[in-house]
């Protein structure tokens, strides 16, 4: 996927999270047009792609759809990172390169995250089928996570 499309998907999802209500293609288009020249059909295609990927749900409202986020920004970001990492032919090297790009604040956030999941990781042996996955910890996230996301 070209990075431009990924950037546009991110821009669309940001608006859906910020507004925290069902949105139309027209509303997203008008907001995006304040920053860049973009066609209605482009935004419609991106929102349809996000629906097909399961990141937004949609409901018919007259002749249009209203789109709502299915997940949080954190879950979306984690899925993008996982997708990129899984494409690497050398995951360890990819992680080392990724860590090398991190700011001090990002490294601190990573250390905090590792501390949060470390007790769970210690409960199972490496390779154990019961070993928790990185995505599993966020599946039952408290409701306030969504509130935090919508406040952006």
């Amino acid at each position: 996927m070209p990075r431009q499309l990924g950037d546009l998907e991110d821009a669309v999802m940001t608006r859906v999270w910020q507004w925290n209500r069902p949105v139309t293609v027209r509303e997203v288009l008008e907001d995006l047009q304040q920053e860049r020249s973009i066609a209605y059909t482009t935004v419609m295609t991106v929102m349809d792609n996000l629906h097909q990927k399961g990141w937004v749900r949609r409901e018919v409202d007259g002749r249009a759809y209203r789109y709502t986020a299915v997940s949080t920004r954190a879950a979306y970001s984690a899925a993008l990172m996982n997708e990129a990492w899984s494409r690497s032919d050398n995951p360890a090297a990819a992680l080392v390169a990724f860590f090398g790009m991190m700011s001090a604040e990002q490294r601190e956030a990573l250390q905090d995250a590792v501390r949060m999941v470390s007790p769970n990781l210690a409960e199972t042996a490496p390779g154990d089928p019961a070993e928790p996955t990185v995505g599993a910890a966020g599946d039952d996230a408290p409701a306030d996570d969504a509130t935090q996301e919508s406040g952006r």
Side-chain angles (χ1 to χ4, degrees), residues 5-26:
L5 181 57
D7 290 344
L8 187 52
E9 283 184 353
D10 291 344
V12 168
M13 286 302 302
T14 294
R15 280 148 181 89
V16 174
W17 285 310
Q18 283 176 339
W19 296 337
N20 196 29
R21 60 171 174 77
V23 300
T24 64
V25 171
R26 174 81 46 208

Side-chain angles (χ1 to χ4, degrees), residues 35-46:
E35 300 171 3
R36 62 178 104 176
S37 176
I38 190 165
Y40 180 92
T41 53
T42 301
V43 177
M44 182 176 64
T45 299
V46 168

Side-chain angles (χ1 to χ4, degrees), residues 40-151:
Y40 180 92
T41 53
T42 301
V43 177
M44 182 176 64
T45 299
V46 168
M47 294 185 83
D48 185 60
N49 289 344
L50 289 166
H51 176 256
Q52 296 300 320
K53 292 177 181 181
W55 289 110
V56 295
R57 70 175 149 260
R58 65 185 181 194
E59 295 180 14
V60 176
D61 183 12
R63 293 179 48 204
Y65 286 114
R66 289 204 173 267
Y67 294 83
T68 308
V70 171
S71 192
T72 65
R73 179 186 294 273
Y76 178 76
S77 297
L80 292 177
M81 289 186 286
N82 188 51
E83 181 183 336
W85 185 43
S86 67
R87 290 182 181 169
S88 174
D89 59 347
N90 187 342
L95 282 175
V96 169
F98 179 65
F99 296 155
M101 293 179 207
M102 293 178 141
S103 68
E105 293 86 13
Q106 290 169 324
R107 284 192 298 276
E108 188 175 323
L110 175 63
Q111 290 171 339
D112 291 344
V114 169
R115 279 192 290 274
M116 284 189 274
V117 298
S118 289
N120 295 335
L121 295 176
E123 294 172 4
T124 58
D128 184 344
E131 184 174 349
T133 61
V134 173
D139 291 345
D140 295 324
D144 63 82
D145 185 39
T147 303
Q148 290 172 354
E149 291 299 334
S150 67

